[in-house]
Amino acid sequence: MTDSSAVSIRSVSKGFGRGTAAVRVLENVSVEIGQREFFTLLGPSGCGKTTLLRLIAGFETADQGSISIDGQDVTQAPPFRRPVNTVFQNYALFPHMTVEQNVGFALVEQQMPADRIRARVGEALEMVRMQSFARRRPAELSGGQQQRVALARALAPRPRVLLLDEPLSALDLKLRKEMQIELKLLQAEAGITFLFVTHDQEEALTLSDRVAVMQGGRILQMGPPRDIYEAPTHRFVADFIGDINLIEAEALPDNAVRLPGGTQMSLPHKARGRITLAIRPERARILAPEAGQLQAQVIHTAYLGTALVHKLALADGGTFLLRQSDLDGPQPAIGSQVGLGLPAEALRVLAQ
Amino acid sequence: MTGNPALRRLGLLTPALATIALLIGLPLILLIWISLLQKGGSSGVDWNAAPSLGNYIRLAWEEDFDGTMILNTSYLVILLRSVLQAALTTGLSLLFGLPVALWMAGLSRGQRDLMLLLITIPFWTNLLVRNYAWLIILREDGWLAQAVGSVSPIGPIPLLYNDLAVAIGLTYSFLPFMILPLYTVFEKFDWRLLEAAHDLGASRSRALRRVLIPIAMPGIAAGSLLVFIPCLGAFVTPALLGGGKTLMLGNIIQMQFGASRNWPFGAALAVVLLALMLIVMVAMAIWRNRRVR
Ligand SMILES: Nc1ncnc2c1ncn2[C@@H]1O[C@H](COP(=O)(O)OP(=O)(O)OP(=O)(O)O)[C@@H](O)[C@H]1O
Ligand SMILES: [Mg+2]
């Protein structure tokens, strides 16, 4: 029991509609989420994140595949028999109940005595700092406050797994940062598995133990934030998370590649045919003209406080971003020709 | 344009106020005035009589031979029966209307419009005709009575000329008034709230009880009012399907204005009916205000 996954999704597919209107929303998705893990689904709008959560919560049934929670197969179980709670993307607070009654809803269903309900509701509201709003109705709260109530409502019954569908999207930046830390602490403290959905890559990287990047109903890559950021395997993943430079190149025998402009270099990976190389802006170096692997001209430099970002025009017409964190180092003048140093260990070979 | 906005507003309101005064206020005053007069003359009202509360007293008391007043409960019983009959009809309408409205709200746009049309079609037919139709269905050789008789272990059950027949007829007549307001709330209802309730451990019936019904309460209240109030004054259905045996307030009023030619007493009964309706509506309004706080 202890070594079983908190959530286990095996080869799940899901489509909507029939005939010509049919759309496949999830394609053969498999995920194992460990106990007490903070797992994040990251992807652009419409890629199927909410649909996957709804399958786990039980609001949709999978066309294929199976889902278990804590080792129990729940593929056919109704939502009210699953030990998961959801923080809905649209909050879905009960408009006819006060904040207090909303948060206590699940506890009443569990037939908990009234005094224990009151204590639990108080705790949950304190956690999201909404105690002073206990008697209000949802219509009398701001979007961010409603979101926090939704969070408290889902946490109050202490589920095994909490599903969070973009729970912080309505908050302003400051409150969002605070709530991110709160969430992380809360998750560690309560020992609950979090399955978190976001399309904010920074949020995904800061909070998660592991991230799954989705696109068009598939999971492209899954792993710890650092792997996803530093070693993306797909062009989409590389592009979606942070800034990246993509270089079209031609693979040669013996792990060598020919870059645009004709320079050859060796790679730590094997590759064949035409390939795409990726390198993060902070991993490239500015060198003297004619040195390095690529030649470029500086067209713009932005000062970001902690770093300088140079925008460069490559000889073959592409642009290249380079992040210089050594603010006191030599700065190339706008319009000057420079060479770019690309360390072989910082280059990734991407699948399309 | 004059500069005084209050005066202008009054000017703009005049047509509406005049219409209300003429079509509602005046007849009401006339009704109350007649209820204080005496029966007489060929028109049914003795316009020269001194106003008194005699007609209202007659509702519950009658004068004995020696002049003492003794309690006469026959009108009170009819009043009570009317209220019970209206309440029963309201309950039945809710029972049948709720699932229909729920089901309609889940249909596609086109299907909904069709259902709304089907529900309003009976209104295009005369009430009398519709009640006669029930007469045919419910009478001894009607298909419903035959069908019930063939499955009933105690033999044929009389379906016509009793309280049940009246309840069936009234429910049939007023059901649309229950369905339409309910449908309006359900149409606006956010079904994701039920998902949220399930997610928090509420089964189907619990989610209905704790989320759907409370949110639909304004529609339930409006529908109940729309059914209960006209039921209280109904007279065609009880006359036809009740066979004149089970009278309701509406029938007595009709009789006073018709056969008995006693307009003042009929007017007094009508005023009592109005007062009853007013009480129900005020009670409802107070309850609703309390709910909103
Ligand atoms: N009930 C449904 N019927 C038909 N198509 C649906 C249904 N629900 C979702 N879809 C489609 O499935 C796809 C994935 O939807 P989903 O809500 O899972 O996206 P998402 O990743 O959560 O997006 P977002 O970030 O915008 O919330 C979308 O193209 C959507 O149009
Ligand atoms: Mg979504």
Side-chain angles (χ1 to χ4, degrees):
Chain A
M1 192 61 199
T2 44
D3 55 357
S4 70
S5 308
V7 180
S8 154
I9 298 163
R10 282 175 235 101
S11 313
V12 163
S13 294
K14 175 72 186 169
F16 290 108
R18 296 166 182 280
T20 50
V23 275
R24 316 250 346 119
V25 174
L26 292 175
E27 291 273 9
N28 198 16
V29 171
S30 295
V31 186
E32 296 284 328
I33 300 170
Q35 298 288 351
R36 294 159 187 242
E37 190 172 2
F38 197 123
F39 190 93
T40 300
L41 292 172
L42 176 66
S45 190
C47 68
K49 307 182 294 290
T50 298
T51 306
L52 188 53
L53 283 203
R54 290 175 59 80
L55 281 166
I56 298 169
F59 303 129
E60 309 278 358
T61 37
D63 299 339
Q64 271 156 41
S66 67
I67 297 173
S68 17
I69 296 167
D70 265 346
Q72 302 260 342
D73 189 305
V74 296
T75 315
Q76 301 300 330
F80 49 89
R81 299 246 171 72
R82 300 188 183 201
V84 298
N85 283 340
T86 309
V87 180
F88 292 88
Q89 197 167 4
N90 63 325
Y91 326 137
L93 296 178
F94 304 122
H96 60 298
M97 294 184 174
T98 60
V99 164
E100 227 168 13
Q101 291 168 326
N102 263 282
V103 175
F105 190 96
L107 308 178
V108 172
E109 286 310 312
Q110 292 174 3
Q111 291 167 346
M112 197 180 267
D115 51 333
R116 278 188 60 208
I117 292 183
R118 217 169 305 122
R120 274 273 195 103
V121 167
E123 262 170 55
L125 285 178
E126 199 179 311
M127 223 141 52
V128 296
R129 280 176 271 145
M130 288 291 292
Q131 310 97 297
S132 49
F133 297 90
R135 294 284 155 85
R136 294 234 200 143
R137 287 183 194 256
E140 299 159 348
L141 300 176
S142 75
Q145 290 166 342
Q146 291 182 30
Q147 225 163 28
R148 286 190 274 161
V149 175
L151 192 60
R153 184 179 69 175
L155 278 170
R158 308 210 177 130
R160 300 287 304 159
V161 179
L162 192 63
L163 309 175
L164 304 103
D165 199 348
E166 309 198 23
L168 306 181
S169 59
L171 306 182
D172 60 51
L173 190 64
K174 185 165 177 293
L175 189 55
R176 181 147 90 219
K177 296 270 182 229
E178 282 176 27
M179 286 296 293
Q180 283 176 0
I181 297 169
E182 295 278 316
L183 267 186
K184 190 76 186 160
L185 288 175
L186 213 117
Q187 188 245 352
E189 202 176 302
I192 298 175
T193 306
F194 272 32
L195 177 46
F196 190 87
V197 161
T198 181
H199 50 228
D200 178 340
Q201 40 111 356
E202 195 184 321
E203 190 167 277
L205 296 184
T206 1
L207 293 178
S208 320
D209 296 323
R210 269 193 312 154
V211 178
V213 182
M214 290 183 70
Q215 187 211 8
R218 291 167 193 277
I219 291 181
L220 294 184
Q221 190 177 355
M222 190 157 37
R226 191 165 180 154
D227 286 6
I228 299 276
Y229 184 78
E230 290 185 2
T233 52
H234 289 69
R235 189 179 183 131
F236 178 85
V237 177
D239 228 2
F240 193 73
I241 297 172
D243 291 321
I244 197 142
N245 296 297
L246 300 176
I247 303 160
E248 304 301 329
E250 187 187 349
L252 304 171
D254 300 329
N255 286 1
V257 285
R258 193 198 329 266
L259 299 177
T263 322
Q264 292 193 11
M265 65 183 294
S266 62
L267 283 183
H269 324 275
K270 272 202 167 58
R272 301 180 64 194
R274 300 229 35 103
I275 56 171
T276 302
L277 295 176
I279 184 166
R280 295 282 177 198
E282 63 272 20
R283 303 298 292 267
R285 295 272 168 276
I286 287 194
L287 305 170
E290 303 306 324
Q293 287 77 27
L294 290 173
Q295 299 307 308
Q297 187 181 16
V298 183
I299 47 178
H300 180 73
T301 296
Y303 172 67
L304 295 187
T306 52
L308 294 170
V309 172
H310 304 293
K311 194 172 175 189
L312 305 136
L314 292 177
D316 69 341
T319 56
F320 194 97
L321 288 179
L322 191 147
R323 190 181 169 98
Q324 179 187 349
S325 32
D326 172 20
L327 293 174
D328 300 326
Q331 269 183 45
I334 308 279
S336 62
Q337 286 289 332
V338 293
L340 296 179
L342 312 178
E345 71 280 2
L347 283 172
R348 305 286 165 223
V349 178
L350 301 184
Q352 286 307 312
Chain B
M1 289 284 103
T2 64
N4 189 337
L7 216 62
R8 225 183 114 207
R9 194 175 316 144
L10 195 67
L12 290 171
L13 276 174
T14 304
L17 291 177
T19 312
I20 292 175
L22 204 69
L23 297 182
I24 298 176
L26 201 63
L28 201 61
I29 290 170
L30 205 60
L31 186 76
I32 295 173
W33 177 241
I34 291 177
S35 76
L36 299 174
L37 299 177
Q38 295 297 315
K39 129 181 204 181
S42 53
S43 67
V45 189
D46 176 5
W47 291 100
N48 300 317
S52 75
L53 289 174
N55 289 314
Y56 293 96
I57 294 169
R58 261 191 68 198
L59 279 172
W61 288 277
E62 61 188 355
E63 210 169 328
D64 209 353
F65 306 112
D66 55 359
T68 53
M69 302 298 266
I70 58 165
L71 199 65
N72 172 8
T73 53
S74 55
Y75 291 118
L76 293 180
V77 166
I78 290 173
L79 195 78
L80 183 68
R81 210 199 355 251
S82 300
V83 170
L84 290 180
Q85 188 72 262
L88 175 67
T89 305
T90 308
L92 285 173
S93 302
L94 197 58
L95 195 68
F96 292 114
L98 206 66
V100 173
L102 262 177
W103 171 73
M104 272 172 64
L107 294 176
S108 73
R109 183 89 236 146
Q111 288 170 320
R112 279 189 216 178
D113 290 345
L114 182 70
M115 279 309 296
L116 284 175
L117 186 74
L118 288 178
I119 283 174
T120 39
I121 274 183
F123 289 131
W124 303 356
T125 328
N126 187 292
L127 186 67
L128 265 172
V129 175
R130 286 186 277 148
N131 276 287
Y132 270 113
W134 273 108
L135 204 68
I136 295 168
I137 296 172
L138 293 178
R139 72 178 180 210
E140 235 170 286
D141 56 352
W143 63 264
L144 190 62
Q146 296 277 333
V148 169
S150 66
V151 295
S152 153
I154 53 165
I157 300 170
L159 292 179
L160 199 54
Y161 305 137
N162 53 31
D163 285 340
L164 179 68
V166 177
I168 291 175
L170 286 177
T171 305
Y172 163 77
S173 303
F174 294 114
L175 191 57
F177 294 114
M178 182 62 88
I179 293 179
L180 294 178
L182 283 178
Y183 165 74
T184 322
V185 248
F186 290 147
E187 196 194 15
K188 282 182 299 195
F189 184 76
D190 183 356
W191 299 98
R192 292 174 296 195
L193 293 179
L194 288 187
E195 287 188 348
H198 291 321
D199 190 67
L200 295 165
S203 65
R204 252 167 225 285
S205 59
R206 291 286 299 167
L208 284 189
R209 277 250 305 280
R210 293 190 67 195
V211 178
L212 185 78
I213 303 283
I215 293 177
M217 217 42 184
I220 294 175
S224 302
L225 216 57
L226 284 176
V227 172
F228 185 82
I229 292 208
C231 260
L232 213 48
F235 65 92
V236 171
T237 308
L240 281 179
L241 302 179
K245 282 191 299 185
T246 60
L247 290 174
M248 285 177 67
L249 209 48
N251 303 104
I252 309 283
I253 295 173
Q254 190 221 2
M255 263 198 245
Q256 300 307 318
F257 280 92
S260 305
R261 293 221 151 261
N262 190 351
W263 286 24
F265 187 54
L269 284 166
V271 169
V272 168
L273 183 60
L274 267 177
L276 259 179
M277 293 174 179
L278 207 65
I279 290 170
V280 172
M281 283 171 73
V282 167
M284 210 75 144
I286 290 174
W287 169 80
R288 207 179 298 175
N289 275 346
R290 274 253 297 280
R291 235 166 65 91
V292 176
R293 270 189 302 165

